[in-house]
Amino acid sequence: MVLLLRKYPNENDCCYSILNRFGFEYKTLVIGNQVYVNVIQGKITVGDRCAFEEALLKDTNVKRILWDEKTPVLLTDEQREKTVTVGRAVFGEGFHFIAGPCAVESYDALDEIAYQLREMGVGILRGGAYKPSTSPYSFHGLKEKGLDILRRVADKYSMSVVTEVMDTRDVTMVASYADVLQIGSRSMQNYPLLSEVGKCVKPVILKRGLWANYNEWLLAAEYIAVHGNEKIILCERGIRTYEQETRNTLDLQAIPVIKEKSNVPIIIDPSHAAGDSRYILPMCRAAKAAGADGLMVEVHIKPEESWKDSKQALSLSEMREILKACSDIRSVKEHTCHVS
Ligand code: PEP
Ligand code: MN
């Protein structure tokens, strides 16, 4: 059990005397701005449980009692800000596109992509400078040189930058170039990394681990929030299933489920889900219809020459088609449901 407190308790605090009265052992801890008491469960009868809860709730310093610590709380709080602003885009309102290459390759190639995306009205540029790779022999990104290219190109076209950070030691440096920090699928349960981006002021896109269920994903987001950063956007990018035809399986049910369970904006990355540019357009349309707050897709000037993920890279004309195909899709968010 966990007690979330409003402020650090003094040693005579009411909650301590209640815990002592019921024979509990406990530890008071602080993460970011949040003070909490981790109660090491003692034995409590069902009858006592009610009296215990009642007594605690009378203590004005106790904000919340969590009987089960595996429940995300900050992200479900009705009081919290439900939108995340990135440049001119407000995630949580409307529908927004993030696009760019899998990896930053060169200034000129990125400049051409960004120029065309801007022309299409896309204001957020993605690109990896630190690339997680299954094989140690693959390309791992241009590192800080790639970040510098991203920033210069984005500034030239007044775009915002989304880029991945993989290592706790790089968070401050990557945040100095990026507008949004991306936590990749493979890092979703890297708790030191989540804690570190939680101390940043920049918004974070938290991709779903390819093996993570919704609660694990929301608890990973809670790690970021508890350290002080509530500017979180979740990104569904496909999960592992037995299907071999596509790279992963896009779980669009994540959209209504996450919206039901939390107040966090959610975007869809159909590129890493499908792993094949032929299947991306219908998934983009479906994601918008299902109520997603936006999309993140991989685009390249010459997809077949892309250094990474070439099979799933969209050409700029395919990107244009997707924007057009999504423009006439009405999101479930716009429907008002009348149940009689
Ligand atoms: C990416 O978006 O560049 C990426 C590596 O995606 P994921 O972490 O979802 O595999
Ligand atoms: Mn990729």
Side-chain angles (χ1 to χ4, degrees), residues 102 126 131-132 164 182 184-186 207 237 247 269 272 296 298:
C102 180
R126 63 146 287 148
K131 294 303 306 174
E164 177 161 356
Q182 177 176 316
S185 189
R186 291 156 191 83
K207 293 191 120 187
R237 45 78 73 209
R247 185 174 177 183
D269 168 358
H272 290 88
M296 176 151 71
E298 290 190 343

Side-chain angles (χ1 to χ4, degrees), residues 290-309:
D293 297 298
L295 285 166
M296 176 151 71
V297 288
E298 290 190 343
V299 179
H300 199 274
I301 23 169
K302 288 192 187 127
E304 62 292 348
E305 288 177 22
S306 176
W307 293 2
K308 275 192 100 67
D309 288 350

Side-chain angles (χ1 to χ4, degrees), residues 126-132 147 150 162-167 170 174 178 180-187 193 207:
R126 63 146 287 148
Y130 290 86
K131 294 303 306 174
L147 295 174
L150 261 172
V162 173
T163 198
E164 177 161 356
V165 59
M166 291 170 60
D167 192 313
D170 297 332
V174 175
V180 180
L181 297 168
Q182 177 176 316
I183 299 294
S185 189
R186 291 156 191 83
S187 300
L193 184 60
K207 293 191 120 187

Side-chain angles (χ1 to χ4, degrees), residues 4 18 57 97 136 144 167 182 253 255 320 334:
L4 295 186
I18 300 165
L57 285 173
F97 282 86
E144 197 167 354
D167 192 313
Q182 177 176 316
Q253 289 182 134
I255 304 164
R320 208 165 277 120
E334 298 163 36

Side-chain angles (χ1 to χ4, degrees), residues 10 16 145 159 168-169 191 237 242 256 299 321:
N10 62 40
Y16 289 156
K145 186 175 163 225
M159 296 174 89
T168 50
R169 292 166 295 187
Y191 299 117
R237 45 78 73 209
Y242 50 77
V299 179
E321 247 177 82

